Every structure is written in C-alpha cells, then in structure tokens.
Amino acid sequence: SDYEHKELEGDVIGTRFDNREFDSRLEATHAPIGPVSGTLGAQFGMRDMTAAGDEAFMPGTDSKSYALFAYEEIPVGSLSLGVGARWERADNETVDGVRRDNDGFSASLGLNWPVSESFTLTFSGSRSTKLPTAVELFADGPHVATRLYEIGDPDLRNEIGYSFDAAAILSEGPVTGQVAGFVNSFDDFILIMPTDSTVGGFTVAQYEQEDARFYGFELSLKVSILHRPGNHLALTGFSDYVRAEDTATDEPLPFIPPLRWGGGALWEVDRWRAAVDVRWTEE
C-alpha cells in the first residue's frame, strides 16, 4: 500500500502523513507425518511512515518485521489436538537514528472434543509475546484521531500473556450458538494511560506497562421459530464482556470496552434475507 493523507487548516496543509507498506505471507501444508497434519509458514513486512506538521504525533519511522510459524493437528481418539508456535522479530528505527529491535516466541495448545454430532467442547491455552509497536515506542505529539497527546516509551519491554479459554458450541437443532469464557494474565501489559495534564486542548496520555489480568465471556444464540422449505425465521441474541484490571491495585484499566448485549430477528425467504438487530452498550 502507498498512502498519503493531508490535514488541512483552511486552505493550508497543516500536517501530512505518508505511509508505504509491504506485507507478505507464505504458507505450506506439509505431507502427513503419521496421523499429524499441519502447516508451516513465514511472514515478512516493512513499513516506512513519515509525518510532518503541527499534528505529527510521531517521528518518521522505518519498520521491518519477520516471523516463522507452525500449526499442527494431532488426532487422539475422538479428540483433536492443535499445537501452534510462532517466532517473530520487529526492527524499528526513527529518522533521528533511535533504534529498537525486539523478538519473541509464542506457543499455543488447543483441544477439540466433539461430544456428539451437534455439540462440541473446546479448550485452549497459550503463552504469547506482543512486541512494542513504533507508535508505542516513539509517539510524541497530538493524535487527532484519539484526541490525546500521546507520549511513547522507547524502553518498553515485550508484553507476555498467558491465556486460557473454553467454549461450548451447539451446531444443530432448533437452538444453535456458542458460549465461551476466558482468563488472561499479562506481564508488562502495554497500555496508554491518560494524565491530568493537557497540551493544546489534548489530554496527555503516556504509554506504560503494568501487570494485568483480563476475564470475560462471549455468547451468541440463534433460536429457530419457523423452519419450512424456503421459509426460515429465527431470533438471535448476543453478549460479550471483558473486565481488565491492574494486578497490583485491582483498579480497572483505561479504554476497555464495556458490557454489550443485544438481539434481533432473521427472516429468510428463498433467495431473500432480512434482519433487524438491537444492540445495547453499558456505560
């Protein structure tokens, strides 16, 4: 992609953003090794971003990323075991010569248990690494899109997460859907924290790190109330919630989505489809 964006102050260009980016991904499915099947892959990306003017919130940065990954599926009786691993590296250098290179390793283990033809249980756990982004490292200016004066930290460490989630999936019958719950624990979670200071009407916010825990659920349901050839009517419902806290203080983290819930109706007649949804977001 080759992207240019100009912020106009009247007829005058106040700020100009240029972003040139290349991203590539290669995947290869290998021949089965006994009962084991899977995919190997690699990724490479590069990004050259420059910003100049009154609202340039970070210096021009040249970024490169590399990754190698693998995913394998192993049948164990009626169960299916999934194993994944990924190594990645990110190199970021500003036009001022400030450079940060990071690399990290992630791995996951999942279990799929088909209890019956229509009901499945899944469980998964992972250890993940998130590398600091160029914005989190080098931001220093007013970011109009977020209405914040963002200040990065070039000394940010890798964010390490440990997660567990479980889901129950019902795929056939008059009632279908799934419910899932998750618990995540983070060492050095990267977040942007608003302060009491302002610059030019923008709240000053600094990127920093805290140990954190996340937990929550996701729910989706579909209830069929009319099911005839060429004519289907169903009611739908959904909800999702996440609670995120600073582990040391039990205080909630900023900018976390609140509880959402809603529902609606879905009507399908031959090739026509109509739907109405109502969604509610708590404070």
Side-chain angles (χ1 to χ4, degrees), residues 71-174:
Y71 178 76
E72 303 294 331
E73 290 189 357
I74 308 168
V76 181
S78 62
L79 306 180
S80 177
L81 192 65
V83 181
R86 176 184 175 91
W87 170 86
E88 59 185 316
R89 176 183 174 88
D91 300 336
N92 296 284
E93 185 174 10
T94 70
V95 293
D96 303 323
V98 180
R99 184 180 178 92
R100 276 298 309 274
D101 300 334
N102 298 80
D103 68 299
F105 179 77
S106 302
S108 65
L109 179 65
L111 179 66
N112 188 298
W113 178 21
V115 180
S116 68
E117 291 185 359
S118 61
F119 183 60
T120 303
L121 295 175
T122 68
F123 307 90
S124 66
S126 67
R127 188 266 192 195
S128 61
T129 300
K130 176 188 176 297
L131 308 182
T133 66
V135 172
E136 294 165 344
L137 293 168
F138 305 126
D140 188 6
H143 192 175
V144 180
T146 62
R147 298 295 300 173
L148 297 173
Y149 189 101
E150 298 186 12
I151 300 177
D153 182 355
D155 295 323
L156 290 176
R157 301 173 296 279
N158 289 350
E159 174 187 299
I160 307 297
Y162 303 90
S163 67
F164 174 79
D165 62 80
I169 304 167
L170 190 60
S171 56
E172 294 182 9

Side-chain angles (χ1 to χ4, degrees), residues 48-51 58-62 93-96 138:
D48 182 13
M49 190 183 75
T50 60
M58 64 177 294
T61 306
D62 181 23
E93 185 174 10
T94 70
V95 293
D96 303 323
F138 305 126

Side-chain angles (χ1 to χ4, degrees), residues 186-189 209-213 245-249 253:
F186 293 95
D187 295 336
D188 296 322
F189 179 74
Q209 294 184 288
E210 304 287 350
D211 292 344
R213 60 174 169 263
E245 300 170 333
D246 183 321
T247 305
T249 64
L253 301 181

Side-chain angles (χ1 to χ4, degrees), residues 232-234 264-269 271-277:
H232 306 277
L233 178 63
L266 173 65
W267 185 27
E268 297 174 307
V269 180
R271 292 179 296 175
W272 292 89
R273 175 187 174 102
V276 59
D277 285 295

